Amino acid sequence: MHDHVYKLIELTGTSTTTIEDAVQGALARAHRTVKNLRWFQVIETRGDIEQGRVKHWQVTLKIGFKVDDEG
Amino acid sequence: MHDHVYKLIELTGTSTTTIEDAVQGALARAHRTVKNLRWFQVIETRGDIEQGRVKHWQVTLKIGFKVDDEG
Amino acid sequence: MHDHVYKLIELTGTSTTTIEDAVQGALARAHRTVKNLRWFQVIETRGDIEQGRVKHWQVTLKIGFKVDDEG
Amino acid sequence: MHDHVYKLIELTGTSTTTIEDAVQGALARAHRTVKNLRWFQVIETRGDIEQGRVKHWQVTLKIGFKVDDEG
Amino acid sequence: MHDHVYKLIELTGTSTTTIEDAVQGALARAHRTVKNLRWFQVIETRGDIEQGRVKHWQVTLKIGFKVDDEG
Amino acid sequence: MHDHVYKLIELTGTSTTTIEDAVQGALARAHRTVKNLRWFQVIETRGDIEQGRVKHWQVTLKIGFKVDDEG
Amino acid sequence: MHDHVYKLIELTGTSTTTIEDAVQGALARAHRTVKNLRWFQVIETRGDIEQGRVKHWQVTLKIGFKVDDEG
Amino acid sequence: MHDHVYKLIELTGTSTTTIEDAVQGALARAHRTVKNLRWFQVIETRGDIEQGRVKHWQVTLKIGFKVDDEG
Amino acid sequence: MHDHVYKLIELTGTSTTTIEDAVQGALARAHRTVKNLRWFQVIETRGDIEQGRVKHWQVTLKIGFKVDDEG
Amino acid sequence: MHDHVYKLIELTGTSTTTIEDAVQGALARAHRTVKNLRWFQVIETRGDIEQGRVKHWQVTLKIGFKVDDEG
Amino acid sequence: MHDHVYKLIELTGTSTTTIEDAVQGALARAHRTVKNLRWFQVIETRGDIEQGRVKHWQVTLKIGFKVDDEG
Amino acid sequence: MHDHVYKLIELTGTSTTTIEDAVQGALARAHRTVKNLRWFQVIETRGDIEQGRVKHWQVTLKIGFKVDDEG
């Protein structure tokens, strides 16, 4: 008998401070439209540079959530 | 001249019995909201364990379908 | 302080002529529903064959765009 | 002193029922022309979809066999 | 504050019948010496061949469990 | 019940003009000995250089075809 | 003449605060049973989510140490 | 007895027209400072998007050349 | 018509404190000799261990910059 | 105008002595049936073990050759 | 019916002379504590450098053995 | 506080005799212009073939060194 189904979406969060903050930003944005987020996996960590310093950390995530009525 | 366009979504199906059943569960769920599913590819096979046995098979798929009016 | 968030979707464009045209087809289709597309990355280049020639180039892309109100 | 040499070929078996059956189909076909098959490795598991269910499981294998007189 | 730690070990289960049975065999063996197994991930699916049929399915898993006193 | 079986071969096509032309060259060559080619996937794109310009595009493909009587 | 031998083990450290703290947690746990840890490599960064925020950072490491009498 | 040594550098060429043109741009630039370029390999194909069309193709290459006196 | 060309170099930054600091160290060093750094991508995160704690975080980056007169 | 076409085959050479000898064994075997071998790439290095020592080195290669009349 | 189970461990052997010798060193060390080693796979080949020459070859292996009573 | 920075360059060494000799050739060449080489990692092992035997082993390395005044 098959059971729950989860959907994975891919977001890039950005932050001027830390990798962790870029992840939290992406999750916060996803949480505005999807309530039951369950887990994430970091796919890539990049950034842009200004004056020899990181300007924005850019962290790409896969985020998983249980699908019920939205698809 | 360019031609049809397909979208790929990523779902994780779960099942207490087999890998095939977990895949069918994910496809059945996707089919409730998208009618013209065409193909899938298995991305990852995982599971959780209870008392030394597989409790749920968790199979992550990319599923492709032709996009017409939804995007 | 975290900053903008981007979403990545995956599309396969097809074309009877060139790889570039298949990419443009996928972008054109995405642009009909999402206005602020920013960047893409080619994930895979495949095709089907008829009479020993390419019938359709099939190019799979990840496409990134800034998320504001859609999710 | 060098020793036996093995060749690897790549086949995709298909089945309407299970992944295992798709593998057995590919091996059975290879066995019709090559007698001394030794081992295989699953490279990819895909499928096509009809009415929201798997129509054919498509399992791509590398299959190894000892080469003696064929090449 | 850091929290639980998990260890991952890698086992290859084998079976004459199915991929699922090979996984269960590996988990059963691990369960004899480690009680709190939590999750697994399939790393590779191979097999040996006899008379053009699969003789043993060989499925390699990473298995995760919480470490408390063993290491 | 298992079903059709496909074989995959790997060829490198070359061209002095475009990536697409290198692919067509490889398919044309394969078509001389195998009639029912079905699909291809680009594995690698390389080239050699002369006077700071591409001399030959070298595109490596996996090409799939249904096997019936050849092996 | 061959020389020292090192063993690699794989652990997942978790933390409610940072990626660095999850790594330190895994190393601290390993250090309780193995004294001569030498180096680590981050294999994967994941996490679980609660109320749209990271609940635990889960960082999987390979950790290398010189083997002398344990194996 | 060891023999010639080659160095590999990584460049991203860009073009508003084709993938091939982006590659030629990168090679032309490299040729201004290194005369004996030998081969290249495409590492990644990306691009930025404007008004739903590719603005610049961005193709990243490894380029190999024989080292004699420069390093 | 082809356009700007970018070069990618690979550096490993190290830090006793955080992953972010190791990245900043690598960028600061690159900035001393190359002024127009544009972007970076994290390739690998490793470290050495002393007394069961991270001694140095070692983060390997690809860093891209526009090439004009240097090569 | 497209140009030469090359075929790639995959062989595993074995040797009781060295990796290089295993490669030479695979090439020697391929040379018995295909005269114009051009290049190879090592795909995997494995071996079996007897009494705590390597019994056979098993080196898998892709070997490329120009195709003219065979396919 | 499921069958034998194998465990895989990961070791890095080192040698001042050859890659083969580094592998033999790792196997010899593993053999001191595990008697029934069966196969290995080379995962990575690295080394450290002194005065422009290899000081130690460092070869990382996965080694498989049948598990009976140890775990 | 961030610490030392290392640069990685990629070279292909060649040899008519062994893989080890090809590596030593690449290191010897790098050592002529960079004095403080620290470590290397083998990226790829290829070769060209003449009369069914290896003509040149071609081994591609990443080589790391501490950067102080050169860049």
Side-chain angles (χ1 to χ4, degrees):
Chain A
M1 194 55 204
H2 47 252
D3 214 316
H4 298 306
V5 176
Y6 302 86
K7 186 171 181 178
L8 292 99
I9 55 173
E10 201 163 327
L11 295 183
T12 300
T14 64
S15 166
T16 56
T17 60
T18 63
I19 294 170
E20 284 84 351
D21 189 57
V23 172
Q24 298 284 19
L27 297 185
R29 179 61 190 79
H31 184 62
R32 285 172 42 198
T33 44
V34 183
K35 287 307 169 201
N36 48 352
L37 305 176
R38 292 293 180 86
W39 83 91
F40 68 94
Q41 176 179 2
V42 174
I43 299 300
E44 191 179 51
T45 303
R46 302 172 67 103
D48 52 4
I49 304 172
E50 198 176 57
Q51 296 292 330
R53 291 189 58 77
V54 179
K55 188 177 171 191
H56 296 92
W57 298 90
Q58 302 163 336
V59 184
T60 299
L61 308 175
K62 280 195 193 178
I63 305 174
F65 57 92
K66 190 143 61 108
V67 282
D68 287 326
D69 297 312
E70 82 283 41
Chain B
M1 193 57 203
H2 46 251
D3 213 317
H4 299 307
V5 176
Y6 302 86
K7 186 170 182 178
L8 292 99
I9 55 173
E10 201 163 325
L11 295 182
T12 301
T14 64
S15 166
T16 55
T17 59
T18 63
I19 293 170
E20 284 84 351
D21 189 56
V23 173
Q24 298 284 19
L27 297 184
R29 179 61 190 80
H31 184 63
R32 283 173 41 199
T33 45
V34 183
K35 287 307 169 201
N36 48 353
L37 305 176
R38 292 292 180 86
W39 83 92
F40 69 93
Q41 176 180 1
V42 174
I43 299 300
E44 192 178 49
T45 303
R46 301 171 69 104
D48 52 4
I49 305 173
E50 197 175 58
Q51 296 291 329
R53 292 189 58 78
V54 179
K55 189 177 170 192
H56 296 93
W57 297 91
Q58 302 162 336
V59 184
T60 299
L61 308 175
K62 280 194 192 177
I63 304 175
F65 57 92
K66 191 144 59 110
V67 282
D68 288 327
D69 297 313
E70 82 282 43
Chain C
M1 192 58 204
H2 47 251
D3 213 317
H4 299 306
V5 176
Y6 301 85
K7 186 171 182 178
L8 293 99
I9 55 172
E10 201 163 326
L11 295 182
T12 301
T14 63
S15 166
T16 56
T17 59
T18 63
I19 293 170
E20 283 85 350
D21 189 57
V23 172
Q24 298 283 19
L27 297 184
R29 179 62 189 79
H31 184 63
R32 284 173 41 198
T33 44
V34 183
K35 287 307 168 202
N36 48 353
L37 305 176
R38 290 294 179 86
W39 83 92
F40 69 93
Q41 175 179 3
V42 174
I43 298 302
E44 191 178 50
T45 303
R46 302 172 67 104
D48 52 3
I49 305 172
E50 197 176 59
Q51 296 292 329
R53 292 189 58 76
V54 179
K55 188 176 170 193
H56 296 93
W57 297 90
Q58 302 163 336
V59 184
T60 299
L61 308 175
K62 279 195 192 176
I63 305 175
F65 57 91
K66 191 144 59 109
V67 282
D68 287 328
D69 297 313
E70 83 283 40
Chain D
M1 193 57 205
H2 46 252
D3 214 316
H4 299 307
V5 176
Y6 302 85
K7 186 171 183 178
L8 293 100
I9 55 173
E10 201 163 327
L11 295 183
T12 301
T14 64
S15 166
T16 56
T17 60
T18 63
I19 294 170
E20 284 84 351
D21 189 56
V23 172
Q24 298 284 18
L27 297 185
R29 179 61 190 79
H31 184 62
R32 283 172 43 198
T33 45
V34 182
K35 287 307 168 199
N36 48 352
L37 305 175
R38 292 290 180 87
W39 83 90
F40 69 93
Q41 177 179 0
V42 174
I43 298 300
E44 191 179 49
T45 303
R46 303 172 67 105
D48 52 3
I49 304 171
E50 197 175 57
Q51 296 292 332
R53 291 189 58 77
V54 179
K55 188 177 170 194
H56 296 93
W57 297 91
Q58 302 162 336
V59 185
T60 300
L61 309 175
K62 279 195 194 177
I63 306 175
F65 57 91
K66 191 145 59 109
V67 282
D68 287 325
D69 297 313
E70 81 282 42
Chain E
M1 194 55 206
H2 46 250
D3 214 316
H4 299 306
V5 176
Y6 301 86
K7 185 170 182 179
L8 293 99
I9 55 172
E10 202 164 325
L11 295 183
T12 300
T14 64
S15 166
T16 56
T17 60
T18 63
I19 293 171
E20 284 84 351
D21 189 57
V23 172
Q24 299 282 20
L27 297 184
R29 179 61 189 79
H31 184 63
R32 284 172 42 199
T33 44
V34 183
K35 286 309 166 198
N36 48 352
L37 304 176
R38 291 292 180 85
W39 82 91
F40 68 93
Q41 176 179 2
V42 174
I43 298 300
E44 192 179 48
T45 303
R46 302 172 67 104
D48 53 2
I49 305 172
E50 197 176 58
Q51 296 291 332
R53 290 188 59 78
V54 179
K55 189 177 169 192
H56 296 93
W57 298 90
Q58 302 164 335
V59 184
T60 299
L61 309 175
K62 279 194 193 176
I63 305 175
F65 57 93
K66 192 144 58 109
V67 281
D68 287 326
D69 296 312
E70 81 282 42
Chain F
M1 193 56 204
H2 45 251
D3 213 316
H4 299 306
V5 176
Y6 302 85
K7 186 171 182 179
L8 292 100
I9 55 172
E10 201 163 327
L11 295 183
T12 301
T14 64
S15 166
T16 55
T17 59
T18 63
I19 292 170
E20 284 85 350
D21 189 55
V23 172
Q24 298 284 18
L27 296 184
R29 179 62 189 79
H31 184 61
R32 283 171 42 198
T33 45
V34 182
K35 288 307 168 200
N36 49 352
L37 305 175
R38 290 293 179 86
W39 84 90
F40 68 93
Q41 177 180 1
V42 174
I43 299 300
E44 192 180 49
T45 303
R46 303 172 67 103
D48 52 3
I49 305 172
E50 198 176 57
Q51 295 292 332
R53 290 189 59 78
V54 179
K55 189 178 170 191
H56 296 94
W57 298 90
Q58 302 163 335
V59 184
T60 299
L61 310 174
K62 279 194 192 177
I63 305 175
F65 58 92
K66 190 144 59 109
V67 281
D68 286 326
D69 296 313
E70 82 282 42
Chain G
M1 194 57 204
H2 46 253
D3 214 317
H4 299 306
V5 176
Y6 302 86
K7 186 170 182 178
L8 293 99
I9 55 172
E10 201 163 326
L11 295 183
T12 301
T14 65
S15 166
T16 56
T17 59
T18 63
I19 294 170
E20 284 85 350
D21 189 56
V23 173
Q24 298 284 18
L27 297 185
R29 179 61 189 79
H31 183 62
R32 284 172 42 199
T33 45
V34 183
K35 288 306 169 200
N36 48 353
L37 305 175
R38 292 290 179 88
W39 83 91
F40 69 93
Q41 175 179 2
V42 174
I43 298 300
E44 192 179 49
T45 303
R46 303 172 67 104
D48 52 3
I49 304 172
E50 197 176 58
Q51 295 292 331
R53 291 189 58 78
V54 180
K55 189 177 170 194
H56 296 93
W57 298 90
Q58 301 162 335
V59 185
T60 299
L61 309 175
K62 280 195 193 176
I63 305 175
F65 56 92
K66 192 144 59 110
V67 281
D68 288 325
D69 297 312
E70 82 282 43
Chain H
M1 193 58 204
H2 46 252
D3 213 318
H4 299 307
V5 176
Y6 301 86
K7 186 171 182 178
L8 292 99
I9 56 173
E10 202 163 326
L11 296 183
T12 301
T14 64
S15 165
T16 56
T17 59
T18 64
I19 293 170
E20 284 85 349
D21 189 57
V23 172
Q24 297 284 17
L27 297 185
R29 179 61 189 78
H31 184 62
R32 283 172 43 198
T33 45
V34 183
K35 287 307 168 200
N36 48 352
L37 305 176
R38 291 292 179 85
W39 82 90
F40 69 93
Q41 176 179 0
V42 174
I43 298 300
E44 192 178 50
T45 303
R46 302 172 68 105
D48 52 3
I49 305 172
E50 197 176 58
Q51 295 292 330
R53 292 189 56 77
V54 179
K55 189 177 170 193
H56 296 93
W57 297 90
Q58 302 163 335
V59 184
T60 299
L61 308 176
K62 279 195 192 175
I63 305 175
F65 57 91
K66 190 143 60 108
V67 282
D68 287 326
D69 298 313
E70 82 282 41
Chain I
M1 194 55 206
H2 46 250
D3 214 316
H4 299 306
V5 176
Y6 302 86
K7 186 170 182 178
L8 293 100
I9 55 172
E10 202 163 326
L11 295 183
T12 301
T14 64
S15 165
T16 56
T17 59
T18 63
I19 293 170
E20 285 84 349
D21 189 55
V23 172
Q24 298 283 19
L27 297 184
R29 179 61 189 80
H31 184 61
R32 284 172 42 198
T33 44
V34 182
K35 287 307 168 200
N36 48 352
L37 304 176
R38 291 291 180 87
W39 83 91
F40 69 92
Q41 177 179 1
V42 174
I43 299 300
E44 193 179 47
T45 304
R46 303 171 67 103
D48 52 2
I49 305 171
E50 198 176 58
Q51 295 292 332
R53 290 189 58 79
V54 179
K55 189 178 169 192
H56 296 93
W57 297 90
Q58 302 162 335
V59 184
T60 300
L61 308 175
K62 280 194 193 176
I63 305 175
F65 57 92
K66 190 144 58 108
V67 281
D68 288 325
D69 296 312
E70 81 282 40
Chain J
M1 193 56 205
H2 45 253
D3 212 315
H4 299 305
V5 176
Y6 302 85
K7 186 170 182 178
L8 292 99
I9 55 173
E10 201 163 326
L11 295 184
T12 301
T14 64
S15 165
T16 55
T17 58
T18 64
I19 293 171
E20 284 84 350
D21 190 56
V23 172
Q24 298 284 19
L27 297 184
R29 180 61 190 80
H31 184 63
R32 282 172 44 197
T33 45
V34 182
K35 287 307 168 199
N36 49 351
L37 305 175
R38 291 292 179 87
W39 83 90
F40 68 93
Q41 175 179 2
V42 173
I43 299 301
E44 192 179 47
T45 303
R46 302 172 67 104
D48 52 5
I49 305 172
E50 198 176 57
Q51 296 292 330
R53 292 189 57 77
V54 179
K55 190 177 170 192
H56 297 93
W57 297 90
Q58 302 163 336
V59 184
T60 299
L61 309 175
K62 280 195 191 176
I63 305 175
F65 56 92
K66 191 144 60 108
V67 282
D68 287 326
D69 298 311
E70 81 282 42
Chain K
M1 192 59 204
H2 45 252
D3 213 316
H4 299 306
V5 175
Y6 302 86
K7 186 170 181 178
L8 293 98
I9 54 172
E10 201 163 325
L11 295 183
T12 300
T14 64
S15 166
T16 56
T17 58
T18 63
I19 294 170
E20 284 85 350
D21 189 56
V23 172
Q24 298 284 19
L27 298 184
R29 180 61 190 80
H31 184 62
R32 283 172 43 199
T33 44
V34 183
K35 286 308 167 200
N36 48 353
L37 305 175
R38 291 293 180 86
W39 83 91
F40 69 93
Q41 177 180 1
V42 174
I43 298 301
E44 191 178 49
T45 303
R46 302 172 68 104
D48 52 4
I49 305 173
E50 197 176 57
Q51 295 292 331
R53 292 189 58 78
V54 180
K55 190 177 169 192
H56 296 93
W57 297 91
Q58 302 163 336
V59 184
T60 300
L61 308 175
K62 279 194 192 176
I63 305 175
F65 56 93
K66 190 144 61 107
V67 281
D68 287 326
D69 297 312
E70 82 283 42
Chain L
M1 193 58 205
H2 45 252
D3 213 317
H4 299 306
V5 176
Y6 302 86
K7 185 169 181 179
L8 292 99
I9 55 172
E10 202 164 325
L11 295 183
T12 301
T14 64
S15 166
T16 56
T17 59
T18 63
I19 293 169
E20 283 85 349
D21 189 56
V23 172
Q24 298 284 19
L27 297 185
R29 179 62 190 79
H31 184 61
R32 284 171 42 198
T33 44
V34 183
K35 287 309 168 199
N36 48 353
L37 305 175
R38 291 292 179 87
W39 82 91
F40 68 93
Q41 175 180 2
V42 174
I43 299 301
E44 192 179 49
T45 304
R46 304 172 65 105
D48 52 3
I49 304 172
E50 197 176 58
Q51 296 293 330
R53 291 189 58 78
V54 180
K55 189 176 170 192
H56 297 93
W57 297 91
Q58 302 163 336
V59 184
T60 299
L61 309 175
K62 280 195 193 177
I63 304 176
F65 56 93
K66 190 144 59 109
V67 281
D68 286 325
D69 297 312
E70 81 283 41

